[in-house]
Amino acid sequence: MLEATLQDAQALNVKHTGPKKLDEYFMGAANILYTFGGHGFTVEIMHAMWKPKKYKLVYVYAVLYIFSLTIPSASSMYWAFGDGLLNNFNAFSFLPKTKFRSAAAVAMLMHEFIQFSFCSLPIHLVWEKLLGLHHSRHFYIRAIARIPIVLFLWLISLMFPFFGTINSVVGSLLVSAAVYIIPCLAHMTYYWSFMTRENAIEQPILCRGSWRAMFLVDAFVVLWVTILGVGLGGWASMKNLIQQAHKFGLFSTCFNCPKKP
């Protein structure tokens, strides 16, 4: 996407005024929380299972990875098309038909297949347990049992093809809790007792050994993300999802595609 944007000239009369309404601002804030938390945390968890001592270093690497993944393409798209992206969530529709746009589309499809397998796995496990197949040694039987779930999710995705808007809803309501709120609450709960804090392998570094200051930081993150991400971000994302459904209807043939002359 970055190369496809740089190959094309900046759009005529492009404006960069940013969001003009509160819901646009808070939906953008929720997207930022989702972007810097959602894409990298699976790598951190997977690595922490094998080498817990390197968890913090891997976390930093994951954040740097997100920087390289999202910021260049997002900045170049906003530079080229400006405020037009506020009302059109299909970024591919802005780009000219080039080999770089085609490569970006293929890479996005590959990402969606991998992401679908990862995100739907808990639903498949619950479904298999509900059917009593979770102890089966034959994987093909479990794979056949998962087909109704795949078809149902496929139907939902065809009904609501609002990828960016759904990302905002997932980021504000689910990822914000999973990445920011729950870890901070778990940290506070586990180290609340005096004996646990005394026997902790690692003492707070940034707060100079003060657990009270560490708990204040945790509490601030919980309150700030709950209000900004889950509360206001969730409100803005759900409002936008409803607007998209009313504007384009269900089962849109081509979501936010440019009109043919």
Side-chain angles (χ1 to χ4, degrees):
M1 291 187 71
L2 173 64
E3 187 64 30
T5 306
L6 296 178
Q7 280 202 341
D8 193 32
Q10 193 178 36
L12 295 175
N13 301 320
V14 64
K15 296 181 180 180
H16 301 88
T17 57
K20 301 179 180 63
K21 297 182 293 184
L22 284 177
D23 55 342
E24 292 178 350
Y25 174 81
F26 288 118
M27 188 171 66
N31 285 339
I32 292 174
L33 289 174
Y34 169 74
T35 300
F36 291 104
H39 286 80
F41 82 98
T42 51
V43 182
E44 301 152 21
I45 293 174
M46 179 182 66
H47 197 279
M49 289 180 179
W50 297 100
K51 298 179 180 179
K53 292 183 179 180
K54 293 187 176 182
Y55 174 78
K56 291 183 287 187
L57 182 62
V58 173
Y59 190 93
V60 174
Y61 287 158
V63 172
L64 295 177
Y65 153 73
I66 295 301
F67 284 172
S68 65
L69 176 69
T70 57
I71 291 181
S73 58
S75 301
S76 62
M77 286 292 296
Y78 187 62
W79 168 81
F81 305 107
D83 292 347
L85 294 167
L86 292 173
N87 301 316
N88 191 328
F89 294 91
N90 187 358
F92 287 105
S93 65
F94 288 88
L95 297 172
K97 293 182 178 180
T98 62
K99 59 182 180 180
F100 294 104
R101 192 193 74 163
S102 300
V106 172
M108 179 59 72
L109 287 174
M110 293 171 61
H111 166 72
E112 294 309 315
F113 277 113
I114 298 172
Q115 189 77 353
F116 175 80
S117 302
F118 167 71
C119 292
S120 62
L121 180 59
I123 304 176
H124 293 317
L125 297 179
V126 173
W127 177 250
E128 290 174 7
K129 191 171 184 178
L130 184 65
L131 297 179
L133 300 175
H134 55 294
H135 291 305
S136 176
R137 297 181 179 180
H138 303 288
F139 180 76
Y140 69 91
I141 296 179
R142 290 154 53 197
I144 295 174
R146 295 179 181 185
I147 292 178
I149 299 297
V150 175
L151 293 177
F152 175 74
L153 295 177
W154 186 27
L155 178 66
I156 296 298
S157 65
L158 292 174
M159 186 182 300
F160 301 101
F162 319 133
F163 180 71
T165 308
I166 292 177
N167 263 351
S168 301
V169 174
V170 173
S172 59
L173 300 181
L174 299 179
V175 177
S176 296
V179 178
Y180 301 100
I181 298 175
I182 294 178
C184 290
L185 288 176
H187 184 264
M188 295 173 63
T189 304
Y190 183 78
Y191 288 108
W192 192 257
S193 66
F194 177 78
M195 291 298 297
T196 307
R197 294 196 298 269
E198 285 294 314
N199 296 326
I201 298 176
E202 291 188 358
Q203 297 292 326
I205 299 176
L206 298 178
C207 301
R208 297 181 181 179
S210 174
W211 284 98
R212 182 177 298 179
M214 193 74 249
F215 289 158
L216 288 176
V217 173
D218 287 337
F220 172 78
V221 172
V222 170
L223 291 176
W224 186 71
V225 176
T226 301
I227 296 173
L228 180 66
V230 179
L232 297 173
W235 161 75
S237 301
M238 291 300 299
K239 179 182 177 181
N240 185 263
L241 178 62
I242 296 173
Q243 290 176 349
Q244 296 287 324
H246 283 298
K247 181 178 180 180
F248 297 99
L250 304 180
F251 300 100
S252 178
T253 305
C254 188
F255 173 58
N256 261 342
C257 293
K259 295 181 179 180
K260 296 182 179 180

